[in-house]
Amino acid sequence: MNKIKAGIIGMGYIGESHIEAVRRIGLCELYAIADTNAELAKVKAGYYGIEKCYNTVDELLNDSDIDAVHNCTPNFLHLEINKNIIKSGKHLLSEKPLCTTYPEAKELVDLKKEYPNSAAMVNFNYRMNPMVQEMKSRIANDDIGDVRIATGSYQQDWLLYDTDYSWRLEPEIAGNSCCIADIGSHWMDAVQHITGHKIVEVMADLKTVIPIRKKAKKQTETFTSNVPTEFEEVEIKNEEYGAVMFKTDKGATGVYHVSEVAAGHGCYFNFEINGSKASLRWNQEENDRLWMGFRNGDNRYIIRNPNVISAEAKPYTSLAMGHPEGWNDAFKGNIYAFYKYISDGMKGEPVFSTLEQAAYIVKLTEAIVKSSKERKWIQII
Ligand SMILES: NC(=O)c1ccc[n+]([C@@H]2O[C@H](COP(=O)([O-])OP(=O)(O)OC[C@H]3O[C@@H](n4cnc5c(N)ncnc54)[C@H](O)[C@@H]3O)[C@@H](O)[C@H]2O)c1
């Protein structure tokens, strides 16, 4: 079997998870990495024993041996780099968000149509947690009846102090949203994916909780708690907290909130779906189980068990029941879905997020920012 050769651009926080995922999938081979930070690229190449290490996107794209390219750069670079990957004819695996504005997203979707022989995915990795797939399967099988209400949150604390800083707070790099684009995008993608509903109306309240932050003169890595010694004070425009009410195209309603200043939370990502017969809830911090609730019956936990799990969830779980699988395993599952789709000849509707679906998340993010500014409901058309 010819393995699909992968190149990964961007060796920061998430780039490493991509390296580890690719290394664990038999269908593909980690062939090269690239980062404009030559020193960082060299360190990562050495640590992971990667022979080919480039310092520019062009060098990696000009390597004709590479079949698929992962884009793990900051958001503002996604448009240009994703465009170049698509035009190279190689398969594209972009980190989320797809890009920073909807016109850019549409440009990418339109461009991709001219290259039907390559695949494209945006990395909404939570989809491939086995119990998220299990939830999707049970909702499709009518186990909870008609979907009426979706609620939940995604909470983290890595921006809690005024000495915490990230490019995600800078509109020029992240786009006009910090936590909605960063983690609200995951919430909306996951809930739309499992329910089959589309969010079509939003009413939001976003808040910049810490309006002045201390930005380190020398940047620290994302999610580190290192306190800078030399810094400058900068005004913050993007939000670290947001609450969103929404309505869906199939008549359901819901509300979620996201925060990156919620002390004690690393990855408290959860959603509950209330149907006409029962409820289902998943929480990333106890990711091996679903809570199922009834009005007239015993509430219960459904524990991950590869022997009885649904066919939809089965490809994304491997360890026996009781052996903890975690974030990295679900992450690998999403990337596996991409390579499996390519190796199966790109037939049918992929289970991972397409460019069209990710473009819609960018559209929702823009509508949420607008709704909060204008203090009104916004319909997504
Ligand atoms: N799917 C997830 O759960 C998840 C989690 C974290 C981050 N992300 C996404 O991944 C992307 C990167 O985030 P991060 O936290 O890893 O950022 P980061 O700042 O830690 O890393 C970005 C890397 O890109 C490199 N880079 C910048 N410009 C480049 C260029 N022109 N060519 C090559 N390399 C370049 C930087 O040197 C840096 O090493 C973002 O879009 C983010 O939203 C996704």
Side-chain angles (χ1 to χ4, degrees):
M1 184 189 77
N2 282 339
K3 290 194 175 192
I4 303 160
K5 291 193 172 65
I8 303 176
I9 301 170
M11 285 295 108
Y13 173 77
I14 207 66
E16 267 194 88
S17 298
H18 284 254
I19 292 178
E20 292 188 0
V22 167
R23 281 267 164 91
R24 291 174 66 193
I25 299 168
L27 299 169
C28 55
E29 168 191 341
L30 178 58
Y31 194 70
I33 58 167
D35 199 298
T36 41
N37 180 340
E39 199 188 320
L40 178 74
K42 207 171 146 204
V43 168
K44 296 281 162 83
Y47 182 80
Y48 286 99
I50 303 160
E51 264 175 47
K52 292 214 175 190
C53 173
Y54 297 117
N55 299 134
T56 67
V57 173
D58 284 349
E59 283 173 283
L60 187 135
L61 291 184
N62 287 335
D63 187 330
S64 57
D65 286 334
I66 294 174
D67 306 301
V69 181
H70 300 220
N71 180 3
C72 305
T73 60
N75 305 356
F76 79 112
L77 294 168
H78 289 187
L79 173 67
E80 211 48 44
I81 295 179
N82 285 345
K83 253 187 349 198
N84 290 338
I85 297 170
I86 294 170
K87 283 184 189 165
S88 75
K90 299 180 194 296
H91 305 292
L92 163 68
L93 197 169
S94 172
E95 261 306 339
K96 41 58 59 174
L98 173 59
C99 49
T100 55
T101 69
Y102 183 67
E104 288 179 358
K106 177 130 186 4
E107 199 181 327
L108 287 168
V109 167
D110 290 343
L111 177 68
K112 180 68 193 66
K113 287 183 187 144
E114 296 172 29
Y115 296 84
N117 297 327
S118 56
M121 159 177 135
V122 177
N123 194 29
F124 284 111
N125 44 296
Y126 291 95
R127 283 191 185 199
M128 249 48 89
N129 192 296
M131 296 315 280
V132 172
Q133 283 301 314
E134 181 67 19
M135 196 166 176
K136 178 173 164 58
S137 165
R138 285 175 185 254
I139 290 171
N141 288 337
D142 199 35
D143 286 11
I144 66 165
D146 295 335
V147 169
R148 290 173 168 168
I149 298 165
T151 58
S153 70
Y154 194 154
Q155 299 179 62
Q156 304 183 321
D157 68 1
W158 61 281
L159 286 175
L160 182 64
Y161 305 124
D162 68 352
T163 46
D164 296 323
Y165 198 83
S166 163
W167 55 256
R168 288 164 174 80
L169 294 161
E170 296 181 13
E172 302 74 26
I173 302 182
N176 286 330
S177 164
C178 176
C179 69
I180 295 289
D182 194 32
I183 53 178
S185 59
H186 277 301
W187 198 94
M188 294 187 286
D189 177 74
V191 166
Q192 292 190 135
H193 179 63
I194 58 170
T195 59
H197 287 223
K198 215 169 163 180
I199 297 172
V200 290
E201 222 175 322
V202 293
M203 169 78 197
D205 183 35
L206 309 185
K207 187 170 166 65
T208 304
V209 179
I210 302 179
I212 305 283
R213 283 182 181 265
K214 297 178 172 65
K215 180 179 179 181
K217 290 202 169 147
K218 187 175 178 300
Q219 256 317 289
T220 49
E221 220 180 84
T222 311
F223 305 132
T224 57
S225 53
N226 297 340
V227 178
T229 47
E230 281 190 73
F231 57 79
E232 54 180 331
E233 292 203 327
V234 293
E235 191 191 337
I236 303 300
K237 296 201 181 78
N238 280 358
E239 83 291 352
E240 316 97 325
Y241 169 84
V244 182
M245 291 194 290
F246 61 85
K247 293 171 187 175
T248 77
D249 59 340
K250 295 179 185 161
T253 188
V255 58
Y256 75 89
H257 72 278
V258 285
S259 173
E260 290 172 335
V261 290
H265 290 299
C267 194
Y268 185 47
F269 178 30
N270 59 85
F271 34 82
E272 178 168 326
I273 311 296
N274 306 129
S276 52
K277 295 196 286 199
S279 302
L280 276 172
R281 183 175 68 226
W282 180 77
N283 162 18
Q284 140 74 23
E285 289 181 349
E286 296 174 342
N287 70 76
D288 70 336
R289 62 198 57 200
L290 294 180
W291 174 83
M292 192 166 189
F294 302 88
R295 190 167 95 170
N296 299 313
D298 290 334
N299 291 352
R300 58 178 182 254
Y301 281 108
I302 300 154
I303 313 284
R304 183 189 63 79
N305 179 352
N307 295 335
V308 295
I309 207 162
S310 65
E312 291 83 353
K314 184 104 176 143
Y316 309 108
T317 186
S318 52
L319 296 180
M321 184 172 60
H323 294 63
E325 284 181 349
W327 189 94
N328 258 338
D329 300 291
F331 192 91
K332 187 252 311 185
N334 200 41
I335 292 179
Y336 167 77
F338 175 68
Y339 284 105
K340 180 84 175 112
Y341 179 73
I342 297 170
S343 76
D344 285 351
M346 302 196 296
K347 294 186 199 91
E349 185 62 21
V351 66
F352 54 76
S353 170
T354 60
L355 290 200
E356 284 84 355
Q357 290 167 348
Y360 193 70
I361 297 287
V362 175
K363 201 176 200 182
L364 283 173
T365 303
E366 277 187 346
I368 287 166
V369 171
K370 186 168 190 269
S371 160
S372 181
K373 273 200 184 113
E374 297 180 5
R375 319 304 295 161
K376 64 178 191 197
W377 280 92
I378 303 278
Q379 240 178 337
I380 292 93
I381 36 172

